[in-house]
Amino acid sequence: MPIKSVDHCKFCNSSSFVEFQAKERMLGLGDEFTYQHCQDCGSIQLKTIPEDLSNYYPRDYYSFSLLVKSSPIKNLLKSARMRLFLLGIDFLSPVYGYWLKKLNPKFNHKIADLGCGNGQLIYELNAGGFTNLHGFDPYVEKDLALAENCFLWKKELSQTDEKFDIIMMHHSFEHMAEPLQVLKDCHVHLKRGGKLLIRTPVADSEVFEKEKDLWVQLDAPRHLVIPSLKGFEVIARKAGFRLNEVEFDSDAFQFLGTELYKKGYSLNPENLENYFSPGEKKDYQKKALQYNEKGLGDQVCFYLERED
Ligand SMILES: [Zn+2]
């Protein structure tokens, strides 16, 4: 039973759509869904959101895999590495470095990660020396302290009264049904001048343009909305944010996953690992960097700041 069907673009409010069908391909279930492609701003949205999406999130979905904790000594090394990295000494940069640095964080900043899954990222940031970390995810089992000053909360951001210096979403925004409301909630829960980072697939991508429903990051039906840059700017402004920068950070996955779908395979780590030669993977990574330079990659980091 569907909960609702929308008749306007959730980004620019237009009702001019081209509809297309897309199959669930990650698990290989093959169920069909209708997506709407906005003809005004280019954003994409799932037309009718099923009431129960849990069948499409298997128990071993990556977000819920077990947290990998490291030893105290390794955590000391991570902390030393983070301090050097934020000072500009990049030779051992953490893998999440490129977006972290642009947020210009202080170690005592209060940081929220929305849709954080098992909380691995905030755990790593804690190991790196950050001291006020809060992961929110209504689908985790229960509230949990992952470490001192590092908490996993089984709730939505809107269910807390806390205010943060930084809020971030790493590929969770596209799983949320009401993008404007998400940004408004972030605005309410950011301190004055607070920063918001949203990492998400974007509908402007060349791979979507070429391959349509076979694009791996369409990810039917889990991705409920995929903004275009134009559509995202509209809701960012409406929610009271200044969009400081858009950074393309797509990688080889956009080609590898899409190629697998074209061949009729599902998306499991073994297929991703074995189907392509190391040379092919390297070439695809190179191609992704070229796409990013031209603004054609299939995902971005949106860097926003609360405007008062
Ligand atoms: Zn639109």
Side-chain angles (χ1 to χ4, degrees), residues 9 12 38 41:
C9 172
C12 77
C38 175
C41 79

Side-chain angles (χ1 to χ4, degrees), residues 108-173:
N108 64 356
H109 268 164
K110 192 165 181 167
I111 301 175
D113 183 13
L114 310 186
C116 66
N118 67 9
Q120 187 74 49
L121 177 60
I122 55 169
Y123 177 81
E124 294 299 332
L125 289 175
N126 181 250
F130 289 90
T131 57
N132 202 342
L133 295 155
H134 302 266
F136 291 86
D137 198 319
Y139 300 105
V140 296
E141 204 182 315
K142 56 178 186 208
D143 292 347
L144 195 63
L146 299 177
E148 205 183 337
N149 310 316
C150 181
F151 303 95
L152 191 54
W153 302 110
K154 182 181 170 58
K155 56 181 153 188
E156 308 272 3
L157 181 67
S158 57
Q159 293 169 304
T160 178
D161 295 326
E162 304 285 322
K163 292 212 178 223
F164 299 88
D165 298 288
I166 293 171
I167 298 178
M168 49 190 192
M169 271 176 260
H170 299 273
H171 292 273
S172 55
F173 176 77

Side-chain angles (χ1 to χ4, degrees), residues 8-17 37-45 228 230-232 234:
H8 64 276
C9 172
K10 291 176 177 180
F11 295 90
C12 77
N13 221 24
S14 166
S15 48
S16 172
F17 295 120
H37 188 199
C38 175
Q39 296 304 289
D40 283 312
C41 79
S43 298
I44 304 167
Q45 61 193 21
S228 65
K230 191 176 162 190
F232 188 86
V234 174

Side-chain angles (χ1 to χ4, degrees), residues 259-273:
E259 280 304 310
L260 286 179
Y261 287 175
K262 283 165 84 172
K263 307 274 182 203
Y265 291 107
S266 62
L267 191 68
N268 61 53
E270 266 169 39
N271 282 344
L272 272 175
E273 188 56 38

Side-chain angles (χ1 to χ4, degrees), residues 44-114:
I44 304 167
Q45 61 193 21
L46 182 60
K47 184 178 184 182
T48 306
I49 300 172
E51 192 172 14
D52 182 10
L53 278 165
S54 63
N55 285 341
Y56 303 103
Y57 288 90
R59 281 167 64 90
D60 60 352
Y61 190 68
Y62 62 90
S63 295
F64 301 107
S65 55
L66 291 174
L67 185 77
V68 182
K69 291 202 177 189
S70 44
S71 68
I73 286 200
K74 206 161 174 204
N75 283 346
L76 273 177
L77 283 172
K78 282 178 180 171
S79 161
R81 208 163 133 175
M82 180 69 79
R83 279 163 206 278
L84 288 172
F85 170 69
L86 291 176
L87 284 169
I89 303 165
D90 284 13
F91 62 94
L92 282 175
S93 60
V95 288
Y96 38 84
Y98 58 97
W99 51 260
L100 182 62
K101 213 172 196 176
K102 288 195 178 165
L103 296 171
N104 198 17
K106 292 193 168 60
F107 283 111
N108 64 356
H109 268 164
K110 192 165 181 167
I111 301 175
D113 183 13
L114 310 186

